[in-house]
Amino acid sequence: MKYSLTHLQQLESEAIFIMREVASQFEKPVLLFSGGKDSIVMVRLAQKAFWPAKIPFPLMHIDTGHNFPETIEFRDRLVEELGAKLIVRYVQDSIDQGKAVEEKGPNPSRNGLQTITLLDAIEELKFDAAFGGARRDEEKARAKERFFSHRDEFGQWDPRNQRPELWNLFNGKKTLGEHFRVFPLSNWTEMDVWQYIAAENLEIPKIYFSHQREVVKRDGVLLAKSEFITLLEGEHYEERQIRFRTVGDMTCTGSVESPATTIEAIIQEVASAKVTERGARADDKRSEAAMEDRKKQGYF
């Protein structure tokens, strides 16, 4: 009897293969974990890749200090349930040390500042590979990314200097001080992620589901009320029924109006969506090449 894999099983198999390749080629990997849906899927894949052993590398969160409280609460609970090691590095420490400068303005983002904290952590802890949950469908700069994304001794990414990846052969060779970002979910879409969450019955932070929240509409983005946002003249908060498609810095992560209270309802919304999930990210709207510019500096 011929057995054929489903689309999700093929994606899962590919991601697990890549994780095992990293474990065999690199000495000290780390999984970047934000508490968002993509990194939750990454954790499940790592569990499957190395079962029945525990995940053989730590999880690391670069904490901006502007996170949604629900995400941090979920992060800590999941790590405790997994029995995994969690490393947290804080953007605030980079600011206090004079390595990063806080943005000015009514909604100062710390997303870009994460790069400094991340590169310092990679150098300090001598990680030679860092798993990320980025997908090629997210944004055009992501579409240029390889599974094994080479970073130079300064942590920078050059899209012209990426290794060819043919027949599932991955070149992890590097010189002292260099490292790789590895993206097992590269070929996944937002829909794939949600369908996998449904198939695996994965728990996710409650902010992904519809709920009442005070928001302000700024430049077409619905920003949640927080202490980090300053209202401009004529602006006011209003309560709406919203949810978040992506999780990040509260000052730049927009929400969408939605009645979806179940995974199935979210999948239906994604199927009919005309805007990508990062379409509500204010930091991506700053310039035409905002994401690519950040990536070249060492962003996720």
Side-chain angles (χ1 to χ4, degrees):
M1 178 177 171
K2 188 176 180 180
Y3 177 73
S4 60
L5 296 176
T6 67
H7 174 63
L8 281 182
Q9 287 172 331
Q10 289 175 350
L11 289 173
E12 179 188 70
S13 178
E14 177 183 66
I16 286 174
F17 176 82
I18 291 166
M19 286 189 162
R20 289 172 177 168
E21 274 291 299
V22 170
S24 68
Q25 290 196 40
F26 296 91
E27 295 182 4
K28 200 171 182 184
V30 65
L31 192 154
L32 302 178
F33 184 76
S34 66
K37 65 183 188 306
D38 300 300
S39 56
I40 292 169
V41 167
M42 291 275 288
V43 167
R44 172 52 59 90
L45 292 167
Q47 286 180 293
K48 288 192 172 187
F50 304 103
W51 181 265
K54 287 188 175 182
I55 299 174
F57 36 76
L59 279 56
M60 182 165 72
H61 183 208
I62 305 301
D63 190 333
T64 66
H66 289 177
N67 298 285
F68 291 92
E70 297 95 328
T71 308
I72 299 300
E73 183 262 334
F74 177 87
R75 178 201 71 185
D76 294 342
R77 182 159 46 83
L78 179 63
V79 168
E80 184 177 356
E81 291 172 359
L82 290 172
K85 179 182 179 182
L86 174 67
I87 299 168
V88 182
R89 288 294 183 269
Y90 299 94
V91 170
Q92 186 62 54
D93 290 341
S94 298
I95 294 172
D96 293 343
Q97 294 163 10
K99 296 180 178 180
V101 179
E102 186 84 83
E103 282 190 2
K104 306 298 182 183
N107 55 316
S109 171
R110 287 185 172 183
N111 261 11
L113 304 187
Q114 291 180 86
T115 300
I116 298 167
T117 312
L118 172 62
L119 293 178
D120 281 351
I122 288 173
E123 181 179 6
E124 171 201 349
L125 300 169
K126 301 189 181 338
F127 292 125
D128 53 4
F131 288 106
R135 310 185 319 270
R136 293 189 182 117
D137 76 318
E138 287 183 275
E139 204 270 347
K140 58 188 177 183
R142 300 287 200 200
K144 299 179 182 180
E145 200 77 82
R146 302 288 172 89
F147 285 110
F148 277 33
S149 179
H150 175 264
R151 304 298 170 108
D152 65 19
E153 64 271 26
F154 302 106
Q156 297 174 331
W157 172 73
D158 184 351
R160 300 166 299 179
N161 191 32
Q162 299 302 299
R163 315 281 174 79
E165 294 179 344
L166 305 172
W167 306 294
N168 287 336
L169 297 175
F170 300 102
N171 183 354
K173 290 185 179 180
K174 57 180 180 56
T175 60
L176 185 65
E178 297 177 343
H179 72 278
F180 278 79
R181 307 288 171 83
V182 182
F183 303 107
L185 303 185
S186 288
N187 286 336
W188 296 50
T189 65
E190 182 186 8
M191 177 64 81
D192 294 328
V193 169
W194 283 114
Q195 289 181 332
Y196 191 78
I197 288 171
E200 293 290 313
N201 195 28
L202 298 180
E203 186 180 357
I204 57 175
K206 58 187 179 182
I207 62 171
Y208 281 114
F209 299 106
S210 179
H211 59 284
Q212 289 284 334
R213 203 180 197 109
E214 288 188 274
V215 297
V216 61
K217 189 168 187 178
R218 178 174 295 168
D219 298 326
V221 177
L222 293 175
L223 297 173
K225 182 178 182 180
S226 78
E227 62 183 295
F228 314 115
I229 292 177
T230 303
L231 291 179
L232 301 174
E233 185 177 354
E235 288 185 336
H236 63 278
Y237 287 112
E238 56 182 317
E239 196 164 276
R240 296 198 191 187
Q241 192 79 15
I242 58 97
R243 72 175 189 86
F244 292 89
R245 290 176 68 184
T246 181
V247 169
D249 191 321
M250 291 184 73
T251 62
C252 62
T253 303
S255 58
V256 294
E257 293 191 88
S258 168
T261 57
T262 65
I263 298 293
E264 291 71 23
I266 289 175
I267 290 173
Q268 290 181 1
E269 275 193 358
V270 172
S272 60
K274 296 181 179 180
V275 178
T276 66
E277 62 193 294
R278 293 194 70 94
R281 291 290 290 264
D283 53 334
D284 288 351
K285 298 177 182 293
R286 295 185 174 193
S287 74
E288 187 69 19
M291 172 64 79
E292 182 157 340
D293 291 342
R294 293 201 304 274
K295 281 175 60 60
K296 286 180 179 178
Q297 294 168 2
Y299 189 70
F300 300 98

